[in-house]
Amino acid sequence: MATEAPLPLSEQFQAYANTAVNSSTTPPAFRTPPKVPDVLTTIYSFPTMEPLRFIHYPANHLHLPLRRDILHRAVVFEGDATRQGTASTKWRNDVHGSGKKIRPQKGTGRARLGDKKSPMLRGGGVAFGPHPRDFSTKLPKKMYDLAWRTALSYRYRRGELILVEDGVDIEMNEPRWIKQIMERNHWGNADGRSLIVTQGVRENLFQAIAGAGEDGRAKTEDDVDVKDLLELGRIIIERSALDGILRDHSSDLNRTVPTAIYS
């Protein structure tokens, strides 16, 4: 019977050897990612709300699609981190008292009981009660950063993200001043309340809005979380505060995209 003669190994794997040599000598390359389109926002003057100028932000910062699942996970993550977990009860071994048996096991006609620290007796231990524990959960940083920008994008598309110039403050720390501003701009209780976000503490503004809590809240950039961005009717935020939030929550954005090399 005639059979085919096998090819030499050098000829069989010549192509693979050339590819391996080329791939080992060629350095890895990176291509620039495609340009992300921009979205246009208006910067206003507080409290007159006079338009000052326009500014552009990348669409992957303020124009992301709504992801309810990511927002839900971020809110749950923040809520779990704020739980103290300090509830504590005493088991029968922790209660002070004697371990002597209360009455004989048999002969009295009553139920069997051990010592007076039994969970069935008043003043005894608590069965399966709470003990100090850590309720915090984990969430990938990139997913958490995406939730921040998703919440801001949701507000931007609905027209509920109002960007104002830095230095937001009022002349006096009386609640009636901030109430007049809220009422004139339709930011108050009748319109869903508002959240004012500043880069730093503004004494007059924070004291005034503390006395007008039914109309909104004021927080610094460091005190805001994802739940705050979704809770009230709108967000009035300083430009520097928004830039700081976007800068601190952009770890999921790839600056360079690796590309394959073909010889």
Side-chain angles (χ1 to χ4, degrees):
M1 181 182 294
T3 58
E4 295 182 0
L7 294 176
L9 294 177
S10 60
E11 296 182 9
Q12 281 186 353
F13 301 103
Q14 185 65 31
Y16 300 100
N18 294 337
T19 304
V21 171
N22 294 333
S23 62
S24 62
T25 57
T26 305
F30 293 89
R31 60 181 175 86
T32 305
K35 181 176 176 55
V36 178
D38 295 336
V39 294
L40 187 66
T41 59
T42 306
I43 297 182
Y44 297 92
S45 175
F46 186 89
T48 60
M49 298 309 296
E50 178 183 356
L52 299 179
R53 61 185 181 276
F54 296 105
I55 189 172
H56 294 269
Y57 281 96
N60 55 8
H61 283 177
L62 292 182
H63 208 270
L64 293 174
L66 179 61
R67 290 288 305 274
R68 297 179 183 271
D69 56 333
I70 293 180
L71 294 177
H72 176 262
R73 293 191 60 177
V75 172
V76 172
F77 168 73
E78 293 172 347
D80 292 342
T82 59
R83 298 189 65 176
Q84 294 182 352
T86 56
S88 180
T89 56
K90 292 184 178 181
W91 179 233
R92 64 189 307 167
N93 293 332
D94 303 323
V95 177
H96 178 73
S98 172
K100 180 181 177 181
K101 191 174 177 63
I102 294 179
R103 55 176 174 259
Q105 181 79 357
K106 293 179 177 293
T108 62
R110 303 178 65 185
R112 296 170 292 185
L113 279 179
D115 55 26
K116 65 178 182 180
K117 299 182 292 184
S118 171
M120 295 183 294
L121 300 179
R122 181 178 180 180
V126 179
F128 308 109
H131 295 282
R133 53 170 292 192
D134 183 13
F135 286 95
S136 63
T137 55
K138 294 183 178 180
L139 186 69
K141 178 175 175 55
K142 292 184 177 181
M143 184 178 296
Y144 187 54
D145 290 348
L146 179 60
W148 273 86
R149 301 199 317 278
T150 301
L152 291 172
S153 300
Y154 171 75
R155 290 299 195 181
Y156 173 80
R157 287 197 306 273
R158 293 172 58 92
E160 298 170 351
L161 182 66
I162 303 173
L163 195 61
V164 296
E165 192 60 80
D166 294 346
V168 172
D169 206 351
I170 56 178
E171 297 179 358
M172 302 180 66
N173 58 359
E174 296 183 4
R176 63 186 180 90
W177 287 93
I178 195 66
K179 280 181 171 291
Q180 292 177 2
I181 296 174
M182 293 288 190
E183 183 179 357
R184 184 181 61 183
N185 295 312
H186 302 283
W187 294 346
N189 188 17
D191 299 285
R193 305 174 69 201
S194 301
L195 172 67
I196 302 177
V197 182
T198 60
Q199 188 181 24
V201 177
R202 308 287 189 260
E203 295 294 341
N204 291 341
L205 176 66
F206 279 48
Q207 292 179 11
I209 206 168
E214 66 276 5
D215 291 322
R217 295 199 299 261
K219 289 191 174 184
T220 60
E221 169 193 347
D222 299 331
D223 296 334
V224 177
D225 53 21
V226 176
K227 182 181 179 181
D228 294 327
L229 300 179
L230 301 171
E231 192 170 11
L232 301 185
R234 66 197 51 81
I235 303 171
I236 300 100
I237 185 170
E238 292 182 353
R239 177 189 173 185
S240 58
L242 178 61
D243 293 342
I245 291 175
L246 295 176
R247 181 182 61 253
D248 296 338
H249 299 284
S250 59
S251 63
D252 59 311
L253 300 179
N254 294 326
R255 304 304 178 187
T256 56
V257 181
T259 181
I261 299 177
Y262 300 94
S263 58

